[in-house]
Amino acid sequence: MSLHIGDIAPDFSAESTTGKIRFHEWIGDDWVFFFSHPGDFTPVCTTEIGRTAQLADAFATRHVKPLGLSTDGVAEHMKWIADVNDTQKTTVAFPIVADPDCIVAKLYDMIHAHESTTAAVRSVFIIDPERKIRLTMTYPMNVGRNFDEILRVIDALQTADAKHIATPADWMPGGKVIIPTSIETAEAKKLFPQGWTEERPYLRTTTL
Ligand code: BEZ
């Protein structure tokens, strides 16, 4: 099943390292960083799970719950987490879904046959509190993700929602933002009383 931005993230129930997860119920009022990795006891995955744990405060500040997944079982996950904690100098507290039968991985199209028919690639789903998929990314098995970018896109999505703006290339929090073309001048004057720079009628930037 291929999932698109704007789709409701499919619900599921699965075992995890912190107990059974009923996904939609578990989301609560938060955002979710749902990410798959190929397998336990593998090097790139060890660094990614460790990095996610190290960023616990950064995710919490943004009201984002991380949720990992691989097609291994809970017992293997638990043994591996001890290794992750030890080697990455952290404490993994977020849940990792155990999906040995690839049920959730198939539901989220995380199995890419040219990479593996039994293990997930590195998929990312950013899901909002309405359970809507807001961003997807897919990395191959041999390339670890950039977690600064994951936090950056979460900041961009949350700022865009709150402030009616879009973000330009390489935007970082505090940088100039774009007034979307869907906002007419009269409305823009109300929303952005600080004014804006108009380089073209379709290219208006402002600072929040
Ligand atoms: C890794 O995590 O290092 C890895 C896992 C599966 C395939 C390639 C790399």
Side-chain angles (χ1 to χ4, degrees):
M1 176 174 176
S2 135
L3 294 171
H4 294 166
I5 288 172
D7 288 347
I8 295 296
D11 196 13
F12 61 84
S13 290
E15 294 301 331
S16 84
T17 49
T18 60
K20 185 144 190 144
I21 288 198
R22 290 180 183 80
F23 188 49
H24 279 198
E25 188 183 315
W26 177 82
I27 292 173
D29 296 325
D30 293 314
W31 291 65
V32 178
F33 163 48
F34 185 29
F35 67 112
S36 58
H37 56 271
D40 298 352
F41 302 103
T42 54
V44 177
C45 303
T46 298
T47 61
E48 289 193 324
I49 294 291
R51 188 78 186 115
T52 305
Q54 289 162 3
L55 291 170
D57 289 347
F59 285 115
T61 302
R62 293 163 173 84
H63 304 283
V64 177
K65 288 176 176 159
L67 180 63
L69 176 146
S70 81
T71 57
D72 301 291
V74 170
E76 287 151 300
H77 282 349
M78 299 304 278
K79 277 192 217 137
W80 178 47
I81 282 174
D83 274 5
V84 176
N85 289 344
D86 190 28
T87 61
Q88 308 304 301
K89 310 285 175 260
T90 191
T91 302
V92 175
F94 66 89
I96 304 175
V97 169
D99 190 31
D101 298 323
C102 302
I103 291 167
V104 182
K106 285 181 184 161
L107 187 63
Y108 276 77
D109 197 23
M110 293 164 167
I111 307 283
H112 293 201
H114 295 291
E115 289 278 282
S116 167
T117 53
T118 55
V121 292
R122 300 184 195 282
S123 301
V124 172
F125 293 88
I126 305 293
I127 298 163
D128 73 15
E130 311 305 316
R131 283 89 178 123
K132 212 175 257 184
I133 294 171
R134 299 294 300 276
L135 179 135
T136 65
M137 284 198 270
T138 310
Y139 276 56
M141 292 187 171
N142 61 351
V143 178
R145 285 160 282 208
N146 182 322
F147 284 74
D148 290 336
E149 171 61 4
I150 285 160
L151 294 176
R152 191 194 74 91
V153 295
I154 291 167
D155 286 337
L157 287 165
Q158 294 183 343
T159 305
D161 282 5
K163 306 285 184 184
H164 310 280
I165 52 89
T167 52
D170 296 332
W171 176 84
M172 293 295 288
K176 281 186 182 170
V177 298
I178 289 172
I179 301 176
T181 51
S182 56
I183 299 181
E184 307 230 340
T185 305
E187 177 71 0
K189 280 184 182 158
K190 285 187 214 151
L191 289 171
F192 308 102
Q194 71 273 32
W196 58 84
T197 302
E198 187 164 318
E199 291 190 47
R200 293 287 185 278
Y202 61 83
L203 182 53
R204 298 172 293 176
T205 56
T206 190
T207 307
L208 296 174

